[in-house]
């Protein structure tokens, strides 16, 4: 069983997740046994392309409105990211290459810890798209990386 799986269309989200986990000593969450991932991440472009997912996972991270079409995937919980205030993880502002992400409601990591509502900064790499950075950050949060470890340093 995989801890996470990413459906993307060349946005670099999986690579960003792996870099983020590697920089923190690897995956901290334990995955349960079974034939499905604990976390399934759907990228903005994959959702726009009308990706139809089947099967199941513990948690799905998907882009707000466009991600709804990816269902009937069976998931114990769904976390959305995007620009709508209805999304769980949103962009509150941008200052140059620094994005401020807002966690609009509590979320539960794949290992059962609760992450409280808050805002935190995310540094955008050259050519990195906002929603892809948000998806990678959301995945790292759900995999147990604390929000303060996603920050680029003192702001």
């Amino acid at each position: 069983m995989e801890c996470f799986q990413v459906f993307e269309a060349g946005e670099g989200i999986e690579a960003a997740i792996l870099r983020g986990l590697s920089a923190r000593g690897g995956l901290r969450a334990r995955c349960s046994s079974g034939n499905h991932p604990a976390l399934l991440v759907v990228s903005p472009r994959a959702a726009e392309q009308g990706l139809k997912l089947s099967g199941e996972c513990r948690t799905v991270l998907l882009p707000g409105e466009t991600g709804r079409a990816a269902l009937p995937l069976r998931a114990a919980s769904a976390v959305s990211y995007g620009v709508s205030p209805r999304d769980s993880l949103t962009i509150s502002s941008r200052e140059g290459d620094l994005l401020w992400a807002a966690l609009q409601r509590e979320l539960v990591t794949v290992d059962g810890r609760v992450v409280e509502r808050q805002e935190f900064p995310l540094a955008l790499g050259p050519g990195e798209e906002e929603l892809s950075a948000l998806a990678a950050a959301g995945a790292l949060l759900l995999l147990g990386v604390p929000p303060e470890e996603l920050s680029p340093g003192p702001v």
Side-chain angles (χ1 to χ4, degrees), residues 10-109:
E11 292 120 313
I13 295 169
E14 183 173 14
I17 295 167
L18 292 171
R19 277 192 312 274
L21 291 173
S22 176
R24 289 156 186 86
L27 191 61
R28 296 178 183 174
R30 290 185 176 248
C31 297
S32 62
S33 61
N35 296 324
H36 55 276
L39 173 63
L40 180 65
V41 180
V42 180
S43 79
R45 284 190 211 150
E48 286 173 4
Q49 293 172 359
L51 175 68
K52 297 291 184 197
L53 301 173
S54 61
E56 64 183 80
C57 64
R58 185 180 323 150
T59 303
V60 62
L61 176 65
L62 66 167
E65 291 303 315
T66 58
R68 308 271 187 264
L71 302 177
L73 173 73
R74 290 186 313 263
S77 67
V79 177
S80 64
Y81 63 91
V83 295
S84 169
R86 293 184 308 227
D87 292 322
S88 299
L89 183 59
T90 64
I91 300 167
S92 62
S93 66
R94 181 173 180 172
E95 301 168 2
D97 289 338
L98 189 66
L99 255 180
W100 283 89
L103 188 56
Q104 301 286 4
R105 58 196 56 81
E106 291 179 342
L107 63 81
V108 179
T109 65

Side-chain angles (χ1 to χ4, degrees), residues 102-155:
L103 188 56
Q104 301 286 4
R105 58 196 56 81
E106 291 179 342
L107 63 81
V108 179
T109 65
V110 295
D111 65 349
R113 289 183 283 135
V114 174
V115 181
E116 301 290 332
R117 292 175 44 175
Q118 60 191 285
E119 282 190 286
F120 53 91
L122 294 173
L124 286 178
E128 188 174 18
E129 296 177 13
E130 292 177 348
L131 289 182
S132 296
L134 204 57
L140 289 168
L141 287 172
L142 288 164
L143 291 169
V145 176
E148 60 273 11
E149 291 186 25
L150 298 175
S151 302
V155 179

